Amino acid sequence: MGRSSLEKAITEFCRQEPGLNTNGRSGFEPLWALDSLGHCEIAGCKGRITVRLARASFARLPGIDRSRAILTGARSASTQAEIHEACKASKSGVNVLVSEAVADPAHVSIKRIVLEADSFDAIQTVADAVGIPLTRQSVGWEIACASTSVVDFQTGIQWVSGYPVPDEAEHFSPDTLRFGEGYSGGVRLARWKEFATNKIIYALRNDNAVAFLDSPEWGRHVELSVSGASSIRYDAGRKLFAIRATARPPRLLARALCLCSGRLPAITEAATGKSRALWLAFENVPQPVTNLVAEKLGQEVGPLPF
C-alpha cells in the first residue's frame, strides 16, 4: 500500500493527531486504533510495516437482548447512506446506530456503525442488500481463538548466545510494568538504542542469551507469565476488562477485546498499590472471552481496581 493511499485511508476513518500513545491520556496511535477495530491489517518485520485495508464485513457483537452487528473493514463516504437506505427498504425493523468508537474523539475519531434488530435474519437481509458479508458468530471470541498464545510464542523464540547487550539497556519490570531497571538475571524484556541506525531494539534476555523482537507486546507478556505477575483485571457484572496501559495486549487479542463492543478501550487512571497507574478498559467483554485472553497471555485475572 503506497503512502498516499495509506494517508487517504487514515483520513477516511479518523482525524489524525501526532504523538498519540497509550502511556498518557492523549489517546491511541491511529493505525493501532484502525487495526484493533478491524478496519485494516498491519504486519511488520524489522521496523518495516505493511498496511492493507480489510474487506468490509458486518461482525456479530455479543449480547442476548437484541441482535447486533458492527461494520468493520474498508468503507467509503457513501457506505453509511447505502446502509440507511437498505434498512428502510427492508422494512424489517433494522436500526442503524452511529456513534464514536473512541472515548475521547478529540484525538482519533472513528465512526462506529452498528446494525441492531430483533433477529440476525433481519440484519442478514440488509447485509445482502448492500453486498457486505455478515459473520453470525461472535467475532471477539473467534479472533481470540485464532490468536497465538504466550506458550506458543515462547516455543518459537530463537535465542542467540553471547550477544553483547549494552550496559545502558533498560529492562521491563513485572512489578511496575515499566522500563528502567537493570538486569538481575532470568527472562527479561530489554530495550536499547542502536546508535548506528538510531533505532530502538527490543529483545528478550535470558542470562547470556537474547532473542530479538519486532515489537515489545509479546515480550512484555512473556516476562509477566514467567514471573507469575498479572496485568489483567475484570468485573463480570459490568463486563469490563482492564489491562495496564503499559502492557497492552498483542495485536489480535486487542482486536478480539475491541470487537466485543466495537469501541476502543477507555484510558482510566486508578490506584495500584501506593501509586496510580493507567488502565485500558474494554467494554462488553463476556466472561468466556476474558478467560480465553487471560489463558492466551498466561496470566491470572484479578478484581478491578476501579
Side-chain angles (χ1 to χ4, degrees):
M1 185 177 189
R3 180 183 178 89
S4 61
S5 298
L6 177 58
E7 291 175 346
K8 183 178 180 181
I10 292 176
T11 302
E12 178 72 31
F13 283 107
C14 65
R15 298 189 301 272
Q16 182 175 356
E17 185 160 316
L20 305 183
N21 62 76
T22 56
N23 289 327
R25 285 190 171 276
S26 57
F28 300 94
E29 303 96 325
L31 280 181
W32 183 86
L34 292 171
D35 184 89
S36 296
L37 292 169
H39 294 308
C40 68
E41 299 286 345
I42 298 176
C45 183
K46 300 186 183 303
R48 305 187 64 164
I49 65 168
T50 300
V51 182
R52 293 184 177 88
L53 293 180
R55 185 185 68 165
S57 65
F58 286 110
R60 179 176 182 172
L61 296 176
I64 58 174
D65 50 348
R66 298 200 76 194
S67 298
R68 296 184 181 90
I70 185 168
L71 178 64
T72 64
R75 63 194 189 211
S76 68
S78 63
T79 302
Q80 185 176 330
E82 293 171 2
I83 293 172
H84 274 286
E85 289 301 317
C87 287
K88 291 179 183 178
S90 72
K91 298 180 181 179
S92 53
V94 181
N95 297 318
V96 183
L97 309 178
V98 181
S99 60
E100 288 289 346
V102 190
D104 181 11
H107 296 290
V108 178
S109 178
I110 304 174
K111 294 302 181 185
R112 174 180 180 267
I113 300 176
V114 173
L115 298 185
E116 181 184 69
D118 291 329
S119 71
F120 266 96
D121 289 339
I123 294 177
Q124 184 72 66
T125 301
V126 173
D128 291 343
V130 294
I132 298 176
L134 169 65
T135 302
R136 298 178 74 96
Q137 301 299 320
S138 176
V139 69
W141 171 262
E142 289 195 338
I143 293 173
C145 287
S147 170
T148 191
S149 69
V150 71
V151 173
D152 295 333
F153 186 85
Q154 285 179 273
T155 302
I157 289 176
Q158 296 182 350
W159 295 101
V160 178
S161 297
Y163 185 88
V165 176
D167 292 337
E168 64 271 15
E170 297 179 311
H171 294 80
F172 187 71
S173 167
D175 299 319
T176 64
L177 276 71
R178 292 184 179 278
F179 283 96
E181 291 190 347
Y183 184 65
S184 56
V187 177
R188 301 288 300 278
L189 175 65
R191 74 176 181 188
W192 64 89
K193 180 178 285 188
E194 189 177 68
F195 291 102
T197 61
N198 206 33
K199 292 181 179 179
I200 300 297
I201 304 299
Y202 290 97
L204 281 171
R205 186 176 184 181
N206 190 7
D207 296 330
N208 68 338
V210 298
F212 294 99
L213 306 177
D214 293 327
S215 65
E217 278 79 10
W218 276 111
R220 292 188 181 102
H221 292 286
V222 166
E223 184 174 333
L224 288 170
S225 177
V226 169
S227 68
S230 177
S231 60
I232 301 171
R233 304 292 184 268
Y234 185 65
D235 185 320
R238 290 183 287 168
K239 294 184 179 179
L240 195 62
F241 178 107
I243 191 166
R244 286 283 294 275
T246 50
R248 72 186 184 189
R251 176 176 165 267
L252 280 185
L253 293 179
R255 182 182 293 185
L257 292 166
C258 284
L259 289 182
C260 286
S261 65
R263 293 187 175 90
L264 292 175
I267 302 176
T268 302
E269 186 177 15
T272 303
K274 296 181 180 180
S275 60
R276 299 186 69 80
L278 295 178
W279 295 81
L280 304 182
F282 296 84
E283 301 176 15
N284 198 41
V285 180
Q287 182 84 59
V289 175
T290 292
N291 294 342
L292 180 57
V293 171
E295 179 185 340
K296 293 280 187 175
L297 295 178
Q299 298 175 37
E300 298 293 328
V301 179
L304 269 180
F306 52 88

